[in-house]
Amino acid sequence: MAQYKPRMTQTLTLRRPDDWHLHLRDGAMLKAVAPETARHFGRAIIMPNLVPPVVTGAEAIAYRGRIMAALPENTGFSPLMTLYLTESTDPDDLEAAYTSGLITAVKLYPAGATTNSASGVRNFDNVRPVLERMAEIGCPLCVHGEVVDDDIDIFDREAVFIDRVLDPLRRSVPALRVIMEHITTSQGVEYAASGGPDLGATITTHHLVINRNHILAGGIRPHYYCLPVAKRETHRLALLEAATRGPSNFFLGTDSAPHPDHAKEAACGCAGCFTATNTLSILAEVFEKAGKLDCLEDFASLNGPAFYRLPANEEMVTLTKGQPVCYPDHITTQDATVTVFDPGFPLHWRVD
Ligand code: DOR
Ligand code: ZN
């Protein structure tokens, strides 16, 4: 008699996740990447680093309109808009945008830190009045935490930022609610964990998967290059431990950042990993390997809304474990391809 093995189907049902840090770009790129996020996520914090950046409420209204037009019909996805903080941001315009519900947060880029950050902040004294207003009205500040001075080693940028900029800034405006974006170090984890209820931190999918060897050992891999750059393995393990804590102030912000392949595979390739397409399958695999699948919902669906003082999504999503899931290795825009992040291991969790 034939022996039949029982087929175990493992499923995981969680509140629909949100992405608390996402780059959607504009134009043809926006049209290509928006459906990738809308397929699985309920909401996303939309980064304002367009060229030119989204600085005013009026610009955020216009950008939101372009995003809505790029989304598939009948999507339940909502973009949560942000403004790009500059040294000439008008606090009244910011307050009106926040209190009307148009924006959910404001983004701080140190000038020169990353892609399209030239209009960012050089002298933090010049933005103190805006930060004070934000503290007054409860508007959160999303922070790209890197010091970019030439004399700071790129692998030390985050730790130096915490000491030199973030900690003094939080002491001088104590009521400001701050999100440390895309943390990459154990110092980032420790600082975020000790910051109390007004400090949160996002962790990307790719920083839970790669360390700096993946970028540099045995050949240079431009699709693993992002900012902040991935650090050594001990830091990745610290991030994994933080992401899998369960209820906490650590939550998912993919920093999915599409660039045309020709701009990444270049003598001076730009920073960004495109993870929108396969993030949930990757996270399920990573959490399962860590023995923490039961903490995925906290990280991807519950901790973020709790920090942002928003309700969790009502809808649920189900992931099913089975044969390896195939994702496209790239997506296509009108005039370019964008490589989808390759985690380097098979993915078994399919999003139904
Ligand atoms: O890798 C990154 N890419 N890091 C950022 O901070 C910006 C982003 C982008 O816009 O491409
Ligand atoms: Zn980003």
Side-chain angles (χ1 to χ4, degrees):
M1 246 176 69
Q3 293 280 311
Y4 292 103
K5 279 194 190 152
R7 280 193 35 199
M8 299 282 289
T9 313
Q10 250 183 294
T11 63
L12 178 69
T13 298
L14 50 145
R15 297 284 190 133
R16 185 171 291 286
D18 301 302
D19 183 349
W20 300 95
H21 182 133
L22 176 68
H23 297 269
L24 282 181
R25 315 298 191 205
D26 216 340
M29 185 65 92
L30 166 63
K31 286 200 178 67
V33 300
E36 298 298 298
T37 287
R39 192 174 298 132
H40 297 156
F41 291 89
R43 297 165 287 195
I45 287 271
I46 309 300
M47 287 296 120
N49 63 334
L50 305 182
V51 189
V54 180
V55 174
T56 65
E59 286 159 358
I61 291 175
Y63 186 32
R64 188 172 194 284
R66 300 197 296 281
I67 294 169
M68 295 313 288
L71 289 170
E73 271 178 38
N74 303 322
T75 176
F77 176 78
S78 304
L80 304 178
M81 307 307 292
T82 60
L83 296 183
Y84 186 118
L85 182 65
T86 71
E87 291 183 16
S88 43
T89 289
D90 171 4
D92 293 335
D93 181 64
L94 185 155
E95 177 168 351
Y98 183 71
T99 54
S100 70
L102 168 65
I103 62 160
T104 303
V106 167
K107 176 72 188 236
L108 184 156
Y109 287 103
T114 186
T115 312
N116 305 335
S117 62
S119 320
V121 175
R122 273 164 226 283
N123 182 346
F124 285 83
D125 291 337
N126 294 340
V127 291
R128 174 101 9 100
V130 183
L131 299 181
E132 277 162 7
R133 182 74 69 90
M134 288 173 61
E136 240 172 81
I137 62 177
C139 177
L141 181 71
C142 299
V143 177
H144 183 113
E146 289 193 284
V147 163
V148 292
D149 301 356
D150 284 342
D151 60 333
I152 305 297
D153 188 279
I154 189 167
F155 292 102
D156 298 334
R157 283 175 169 187
E158 182 172 295
V160 174
F161 183 88
I162 293 168
D163 291 345
R164 282 198 197 164
V165 181
L166 183 58
D167 193 58
L169 184 145
R170 291 185 58 245
R171 285 175 197 277
S172 77
V173 192
L176 186 64
R177 312 200 70 230
V178 171
I179 301 104
M180 297 169 70
E181 301 272 68
H182 43 51
I183 55 169
T184 56
T185 59
S186 57
Q187 293 94 326
V189 170
E190 273 162 37
Y191 190 77
S194 67
D198 289 331
L199 186 63
T202 59
I203 300 176
T204 75
T205 307
H206 49 282
H207 288 118
L208 292 175
V209 173
I210 60 166
N211 61 38
R212 61 194 194 181
N213 275 15
H214 292 91
I215 314 170
L216 296 169
I220 190 158
R221 293 186 188 74
H223 295 291
Y224 289 157
Y225 174 63
C226 65
L227 289 170
V229 71
K231 309 298 192 294
R232 61 170 69 237
E233 177 66 0
T234 47
H235 294 292
R236 188 190 71 84
L237 292 173
L239 298 175
L240 183 59
E241 185 279 319
T244 56
R245 275 182 198 185
S248 77
N249 59 340
F250 295 99
F251 42 95
L252 174 64
T254 66
D255 198 12
S256 179
H259 291 277
D261 283 337
H262 59 78
K264 296 225 22 111
E265 297 166 8
C268 184
C270 50
C273 297
F274 177 65
T275 54
T277 306
N278 54 3
T279 272
L280 283 189
S281 294
I282 296 174
L283 289 175
E285 202 79 31
V286 167
F287 275 60
E288 184 182 38
K289 276 187 198 148
K292 296 288 182 142
L293 210 44
D294 55 325
C295 296
L296 181 57
E297 186 180 44
D298 293 307
F299 179 65
S301 316
L302 301 179
N303 294 348
F307 183 84
Y308 274 95
R309 298 174 174 161
L310 292 167
N313 292 313
E314 290 288 331
E315 274 183 9
M316 311 297 283
V317 290
T318 297
L319 288 90
T320 305
K321 190 175 179 188
Q323 292 305 309
V325 193
C326 291
Y327 283 100
D329 58 12
H330 66 269
I331 63 160
T332 311
T333 77
Q334 199 176 44
D335 45 17
T337 56
V338 177
T339 293
V340 175
F341 178 77
D342 173 7
F345 46 75
L347 301 175
H348 299 89
W349 288 94
R350 179 187 311 279
V351 188
D352 294 342

